[in-house]
Amino acid sequence: ETHGITFRIQISVKELLDTDVVLKLLFHLPVNYPSILPDISVNSDQLTRAQCMDVKDKLLEQAEKHLSEPMVHELVLWIQQHLKYIIRQSAAVCSEKTTLSRGASTEDGIWMLFLHLDHMRAKAKYVKTVEKWASDLRLTGRLMFMGKIILILLQGDRSNIKEYLILQKTSKVDVDSSGKKCKEKMISVLRETKVQSQHTRFQTFEVKDYSTLDELQKEFEVAGLTTLFSEFVPPLLK
C-alpha cells in the first residue's frame, strides 16, 4: 500500500540477428501509478549492459506518452516490435565510439572526473544509482557531501569515465519539484584529466559525509589533490 507493486516479465523476441533474445523486464509501479511513471529495469544474457540501458531509455520514453493510463502491456508489445531497431541503432553508436577511441590512443590510461551537483531531491535513490554506475564501470572514488555541497570524484579507464558522464547527463536519476522523474540538468564538470603520478589511486568507491570543510580538505590532501580542492571547492561556499 505504501511502496507499490514490483513484478517481472520475461519475453523472447524472435528473428533478431538470427537468434532469440530473452528480455527480463522488471517493473515497479509506485502507489500513484499510472499518474507517475514506473521504474523499469532491463536485463538480458544476449545484450550488453549498454544495450540494456538503451532499451530501458526507449521504454521510459514510450512510458511518458502513456502517462496517466495503464501502460505496462503497451510497453511490452512495443518493445517486442521495436527491439531490433534499438539494437541496430545501439550497435551503430558503439561502432562510432570505437572508431573515435582508436583515433584517440593518447587518451588511454587512468583518468579522473570531478563533478559538482547542485542538489539531490531523491537522495537515497540517486546515491544508489551512482554507486551502481561506479560498480558497473569499475570506477573508484568518492561521492562527497558537505553541507549543501555535493561532489563526485571518479577514477578509472578513460572510456568508462566517458560512459559514466553520458549516463549522468542522460538518465532520469532525480525528481523535479513536483516529484516527477527528471534528468540531471544542474551538473558542472569541474575537471576531466589524466591521473598524474602525484595522485593517489582510490581503491574503492565510497559515499562519505563531512561535517567540516577541514575534513573534506583532508580527503583531497590524502589523494594528492590539494590543488584541485583549492581551485574549485572554496568558491562553492560563496
Side-chain angles (χ1 to χ4, degrees), residues 13-190:
V13 182
K14 306 289 186 180
E15 300 178 359
L16 177 64
L17 304 178
D18 299 323
T19 186
D20 292 350
V21 173
V22 177
L23 283 182
K24 302 171 185 176
L25 307 174
L26 185 146
F27 293 89
H28 174 250
L29 309 186
V31 175
N32 294 329
Y33 168 86
S35 297
I36 296 178
L37 294 179
D39 288 326
I40 302 175
S41 176
V42 178
N43 287 288
S44 175
D45 293 337
Q46 288 80 39
L47 302 180
T48 65
R49 194 191 67 82
Q51 288 172 327
C52 287
M53 287 294 296
D54 287 341
V55 172
K56 173 184 173 180
D57 289 344
K58 294 299 182 183
L59 281 171
L60 288 173
E61 287 180 10
Q62 288 300 308
E64 289 182 344
K65 299 178 182 179
H66 296 279
L67 196 60
S68 298
E69 62 185 57
M71 65 184 75
V72 173
H73 181 63
E74 294 296 328
L75 294 178
V76 171
L77 291 179
W78 184 87
I79 198 61
Q80 286 179 311
Q81 297 169 3
H82 294 84
L83 180 62
K84 59 183 178 181
Y85 304 109
I86 298 173
I87 300 306
R88 287 172 185 169
Q89 183 179 31
S90 178
V93 172
C94 182
S95 176
E96 181 179 350
K97 287 181 178 179
T98 300
T99 301
L100 290 173
S101 65
R102 286 173 180 169
S105 58
T106 57
E107 295 184 341
D108 291 342
I110 303 302
W111 279 67
M112 176 177 66
L113 179 66
F114 189 34
L115 305 173
H116 171 242
L117 302 182
D118 184 74
H119 61 269
M120 285 184 181
R121 285 194 174 94
K123 182 177 177 180
K125 182 179 178 181
Y126 204 133
V127 169
K128 186 176 181 181
T129 300
V130 171
E131 287 180 312
K132 184 179 187 305
W133 287 344
S135 175
D136 289 346
L137 296 170
R138 299 184 299 279
L139 301 176
T140 61
R142 300 286 186 268
L143 170 53
M144 301 174 278
F145 295 92
M146 202 286 292
K148 294 184 178 180
I149 295 177
I150 307 172
L151 302 169
I152 301 178
L153 183 61
L154 298 169
Q155 294 176 346
D157 290 343
R158 171 66 163 166
S159 59
N160 290 348
I161 288 284
K162 284 292 187 184
E163 185 170 351
Y164 176 91
L165 196 53
I166 291 172
L167 289 171
Q168 181 75 67
K169 290 182 176 181
T170 61
S171 301
K172 292 187 176 181
V173 69
D174 205 2
V175 297
D176 60 21
S177 57
S178 64
K180 185 179 179 181
K181 291 180 182 179
C182 65
K183 296 177 182 178
E184 179 57 76
K185 297 179 180 178
M186 303 292 287
I187 184 174
S188 300
V189 179
L190 302 179

Side-chain angles (χ1 to χ4, degrees), residues 207-224:
V207 180
K208 302 184 72 172
D209 284 275
Y210 306 86
S211 57
T212 67
L213 189 63
D214 285 342
E215 288 183 8
L216 182 59
Q217 183 173 355
K218 287 179 181 177
E219 184 79 71
F220 282 79
E221 290 176 351
V222 170

